[in-house]
Amino acid sequence: MRRILLIIGIVLAILNGSAQSISTTYGDLRAKVLHVGQKMTGQNTTNDQAIAVIVRELAMNYQGRLSRQQFQELKDTIEVMRQQITADTWKTVLNSAIETLQEKTDTLDIQQRILDYYRKVPQEQIYVHTDRPYYVPGDTVWFRAHLVDAVTHTPISRSRYVYVELLDNATDTLVQRVMVKCDSDGVFANAITLPRQLRSGCYTLAAYTQWMRNFPVERFFYKQLLVVGNTSLSGFQSEAVGLPVRSRQTPSPKPSDSELELGLRKGQLLIQMNKSTSEPLSCVLYGSGNLFVD
């Protein structure tokens, strides 16, 4: 008996107190178990007891959690030791070590753990459709937002409102914000009217819910919009693109204000140059997302 205890003490000393120390990481635990298996297994019957005791203590002292793959790696290593041990008593001790490690193993696979996390902390995702990708100042940006679960991509009704913002990329400022309520069909639809004095450039349409504000802003929806100015037409916009212009009366700019003079006569749009030129000219009309070039 004294010889057995002496050998156990020597083994523990060789392992630098492995059985008494706490393995803080899986890598540390695996390294110690492998060391026992490579250096001490199969030497003699007396060492069998030392091996079994050390492995059981390592398993009991480990404070972390194991994945199913990590547990299987440790189990395979311990099984090799078990096969080389002759006494059933110490095989039972190793079986106890395996059971202890199994209790510290996550039973769910990675995919299931992710799904469980999203059930506890649900995620939302938004996609926004606009009626077109480019506009002029004064246009109306019609949009429709789709709110879905970020994991299953199925429609959800967790949030009743979607917030849509128009941001100026150049100045990093907010131009407009609208709050859109979900209708009876689960649809978020509304519009933003661009200010007539809005400058030309690239703008960003951002959409989110109040719940999404609990997470990084990178999860918001973002879409680039192009606003095209038309200074040559002095801000003129037509609700009807081609000719004739059917409805809204457009005031004619003063000759001193523009090189063009615009007017309506018998339902027809008249465009007249205030300055003569010998260079060839083109006429470009834009309205309601349509483009006419002559």
Side-chain angles (χ1 to χ4, degrees), residues 35-105:
H35 185 63
V36 173
Q38 293 172 358
K39 303 299 182 181
M40 304 300 172
T41 300
Q43 293 184 10
N44 52 55
T45 304
T46 306
N47 277 347
D48 292 349
Q49 179 180 0
I51 293 166
V53 171
I54 291 172
V55 173
R56 182 183 62 184
E57 290 298 314
L58 286 173
M60 293 178 61
N61 289 338
Y62 181 63
Q63 301 298 314
R65 300 291 298 175
L66 299 172
S67 68
R68 292 196 297 181
Q69 180 180 354
Q70 291 171 341
F71 166 73
Q72 190 62 47
E73 291 174 350
L74 292 173
K75 180 181 178 182
D76 292 343
T77 302
I78 297 174
E79 285 289 353
V80 173
M81 302 180 196
R82 185 177 179 277
Q83 293 173 5
Q84 299 185 44
I85 290 179
T86 56
D88 291 339
T89 302
W90 311 128
K91 288 184 178 182
T92 302
V93 174
L94 286 181
N95 287 338
S96 175
I98 293 175
E99 293 175 358
T100 300
L101 292 174
Q102 190 170 16
E103 293 174 356
K104 300 179 180 182
T105 301

Side-chain angles (χ1 to χ4, degrees), residues 64 79 83 87-88 91 111 116 165 169 178-179 200 261:
E79 285 289 353
Q83 293 173 5
D88 291 339
K91 288 184 178 182
Q111 181 179 0
D116 285 350
E165 298 179 346
N169 293 359
V178 294
M179 183 174 67
S200 302
E261 183 176 347

Side-chain angles (χ1 to χ4, degrees), residues 122-129 143-164 180-183 185-189 207-213 215 219-221:
Q123 304 287 307
E124 296 176 336
Q125 188 172 4
I126 295 179
Y127 187 82
V128 178
H129 287 289
F143 63 84
R144 179 188 179 109
H146 304 269
L147 184 63
V148 298
D149 184 275
V151 177
T152 63
H153 290 175
T154 56
I156 54 176
S157 56
R158 186 179 298 110
S159 296
R160 298 182 58 191
Y161 294 92
V162 165
Y163 299 83
V164 179
V180 186
K181 184 178 181 180
C182 179
D183 63 17
D185 296 324
V187 175
F188 299 87
Y208 58 91
T209 65
Q210 285 290 0
W211 176 253
M212 293 175 68
R213 296 182 67 182
F215 306 95
R219 301 188 184 183
F220 293 2
F221 171 84

Side-chain angles (χ1 to χ4, degrees), residues 24-39:
T24 57
T25 65
Y26 165 73
D28 183 31
L29 173 63
R30 178 169 170 76
K32 291 177 180 179
V33 173
L34 285 174
H35 185 63
V36 173
Q38 293 172 358
K39 303 299 182 181

Side-chain angles (χ1 to χ4, degrees), residues 259 273 275-284 294:
E259 296 182 356
M273 290 288 297
K275 296 180 181 180
S276 61
T277 177
S278 59
E279 298 180 358
L281 300 176
S282 297
C283 179
V284 179
D294 188 14

